[in-house]
Amino acid sequence: MTRNIAYLRVSTIDQDLEKNKAQILHLANDKNLGKVEFVEEKVSGRVNWRERKIGEIINQLSAGDVVLLSEFSRLGRSMLECMEIIAIATQKGIKMYTVKGGWQLDDTIQSKVMAMVFSMVAEIERDLISKRTKEALQTKKASGVKLGRPKGAGKSKLDKYKVEIEALMKNGSTKKFIANRYGTSESNLFNWLNKNDL
């Protein structure tokens, strides 16, 4: 059975979800889609899309299913992210419709051409980001900046628990128990203990 998912993401409290819902239901009626499931989340677009509910939606849906949006910008913070989601959805045969702009990505030739263009632009954007990053690193290196992780002990998340860890060690707690308690691996704890002469 075909699923129709309306994805609503708001990053600030003042954005009107109810207005978006009404517009999406109107769009669903225009397309004769039937029942619509609403998936809402209040999260910043800075969170990677795969870690948001849209990631679950794209992962779960299959060919013929539909994603309804108020606008494509609700998918992600950057054009690259939006295009990546659209490209993956199109490859899976998931249809997409938006209220704003009246965009539709479905079985039509026009949609397939659009999806191909989106995919190409996303790939070009990834290449440009990679190139800009490499150029920036080369410029830093040329100006004498040492790249990479600084040598030496560095800061550890265990540092702030040093007194507690010392007490646990003196009371005979195992390294496995301490590692689990502070959310680290035994090898990382072992290295930290050596650095701190414990």
Side-chain angles (χ1 to χ4, degrees), residues 161-175 177-178 181-182 189 192-193 196-198:
Y161 304 114
K162 187 176 179 182
V163 175
E164 291 177 32
I165 293 170
E166 280 185 80
L168 288 168
M169 292 287 289
K170 283 176 185 173
N171 289 329
S173 296
T174 64
K175 291 183 176 69
F177 171 81
I178 296 169
R181 181 183 174 94
Y182 296 103
L189 175 65
W192 182 85
L193 291 169
N196 288 275
D197 297 321
L198 294 174

Side-chain angles (χ1 to χ4, degrees), residues 39 56 59 82 103 121-122 124 148 172:
V39 175
E56 290 176 36
N59 190 43
C82 292
W103 293 98
V121 171
I124 291 165

Side-chain angles (χ1 to χ4, degrees), residues 97-147:
Y97 300 110
T98 69
V99 172
K100 191 173 179 180
W103 293 98
Q104 59 181 61
L105 294 173
D106 45 31
D107 301 326
T108 62
I109 295 292
Q110 181 188 7
S111 294
K112 287 173 183 175
V113 170
M114 277 175 57
M116 188 176 71
V117 170
F118 284 161
S119 184
M120 284 171 60
V121 171
E123 194 172 333
I124 291 165
E125 182 68 13
R126 275 193 294 271
D127 288 344
L128 288 171
I129 289 168
S130 175
K131 190 178 178 183
R132 284 196 297 267
T133 303
K134 284 175 185 173
E135 285 174 353
L137 290 172
Q138 284 173 352
T139 303
K140 282 187 174 183
K141 195 173 181 181
S143 63
V145 176
K146 287 188 178 181
L147 302 177

Side-chain angles (χ1 to χ4, degrees), residues 14-99:
D14 60 344
Q15 286 179 288
D16 191 355
L17 274 180
E18 294 308 313
K19 182 184 173 186
N20 288 343
K21 279 184 184 178
Q23 290 173 335
I24 284 170
L25 286 174
H26 184 71
L27 175 64
N29 285 336
D30 283 350
K31 301 287 181 189
N32 295 315
L33 295 177
K35 185 184 174 185
V36 176
E37 300 172 52
F38 283 92
V39 175
E40 303 172 21
E41 70 177 334
K42 292 188 177 182
V43 64
S44 168
R46 283 177 287 202
V47 177
N48 186 281
W49 72 271
R50 293 177 192 277
E51 294 168 18
R52 291 188 272 114
K53 288 183 183 177
I54 189 62
E56 290 176 36
I57 293 168
I58 297 299
N59 190 43
Q60 290 170 7
L61 296 187
S62 52
D65 290 336
V66 177
V67 175
L68 297 153
L69 304 156
S70 58
E71 54 187 284
F72 274 136
S73 66
R74 295 292 84 208
L75 289 174
R77 192 175 184 223
S78 69
M79 186 182 285
L80 176 61
E81 193 169 56
C82 292
M83 286 182 176
E84 186 181 2
I85 297 167
I86 291 164
I88 292 169
T90 306
Q91 284 166 12
K92 289 186 72 175
I94 299 166
K95 299 174 183 178
M96 286 189 154
Y97 300 110
T98 69
V99 172

